[in-house]
Amino acid sequence: VMMSMMVLVACSKDKDSDSKKEESKKEENNKNITIDVVATADALIKDVKFVDQMSPIDNIDFFTALFSIDAKDVKEQKTYTSTGATAEMLSAVKCTDATAAERVKGIFETYTKNLSSQYADYKPEECEKLDNPVIKVYNEYVIICVSDDNDKATKTIEGQVK
């Protein structure tokens, strides 16, 4: 019994080592990623079907105020929002670094949760979109898409990663 436990422990250490190597490889690959945030947002608008009319937010001050994001965390962004008749929105953001990107991701997560509670009484069918947004982080880049087609949004985003 003791021998089989030692074998199990040894095997699990090998698996841990393999998963750490894989994670390290992912982190290394993320460092070399570049994303054109304007092209990504525009590709999402073109490829993903949105029910509502989507309007761009080009003004960085309006963008940071809308999401309560510290302007020091953002280098570049392209965002589209709906008229408010739906919860649809998308944003592609280049942050100052990976730490800022994690903060922006957290802000987007909080934003969608808060919006979901607002839509719960108004338009409950919008809550599923808000409860399951596509949010991708690639080093200093954060991309969010709230739509009816998460698969298409994910494929479009992945197609923009270089």
Side-chain angles (χ1 to χ4, degrees):
V1 172
M2 188 65 150
M3 185 63 115
S4 62
M5 288 177 72
M6 288 175 26
V7 169
L8 284 173
V9 169
C11 287
S12 94
K13 283 184 182 174
D14 284 347
K15 284 183 182 175
D16 285 348
S17 174
D18 287 347
S19 69
K20 283 181 182 164
K21 285 179 191 173
E22 192 65 34
E23 193 62 38
S24 176
K25 196 175 187 181
K26 280 183 187 175
E27 285 176 21
E28 189 61 37
N29 288 341
N30 268 350
K31 289 179 184 173
N32 300 321
I33 286 174
T34 55
I35 298 172
D36 181 331
V37 295
V38 172
T40 300
D42 290 344
L44 284 164
I45 279 293
K46 181 178 157 270
D47 295 348
V48 177
K49 185 176 183 274
F50 292 96
V51 176
D52 203 357
Q53 180 179 337
M54 302 294 282
S55 300
I57 296 176
D58 296 318
N59 182 299
I60 190 77
D61 293 330
F62 184 72
F63 166 78
T64 55
L66 176 66
F67 296 106
S68 301
I69 293 174
D70 188 336
K72 291 180 276 189
D73 282 344
V74 180
K75 282 187 174 178
E76 183 181 11
Q77 67 82 33
K78 179 74 181 232
T79 300
Y80 287 88
T81 59
S82 70
T83 63
T86 69
E88 297 169 321
M89 59 87 62
L90 68 92
S91 187
V93 184
K94 181 176 184 181
C95 298
T96 52
D97 58 27
T99 303
E102 286 300 320
R103 281 192 296 271
V104 170
K105 176 188 177 206
I107 289 167
F108 282 150
E109 289 169 340
T110 301
Y111 177 84
T112 55
K113 277 185 188 147
N114 291 343
L115 205 55
S116 180
S117 65
Q118 291 173 15
Y119 271 94
D121 293 329
Y122 168 61
K123 267 192 144 177
E125 64 275 13
E126 294 297 305
C127 293
E128 186 166 333
K129 290 182 220 180
L130 288 162
D131 294 340
N132 299 297
V134 174
I135 302 178
K136 300 287 184 182
V137 177
Y138 302 93
N139 200 22
E140 75 266 28
Y141 300 95
V142 183
I143 302 152
I144 181 172
C145 186
V146 177
S147 73
D148 286 323
D149 195 347
N150 284 350
D151 290 340
K152 185 67 172 174
T154 299
K155 286 177 187 162
T156 300
I157 292 165
E158 290 171 353
Q160 295 293 314
V161 177
K162 308 218 180 341

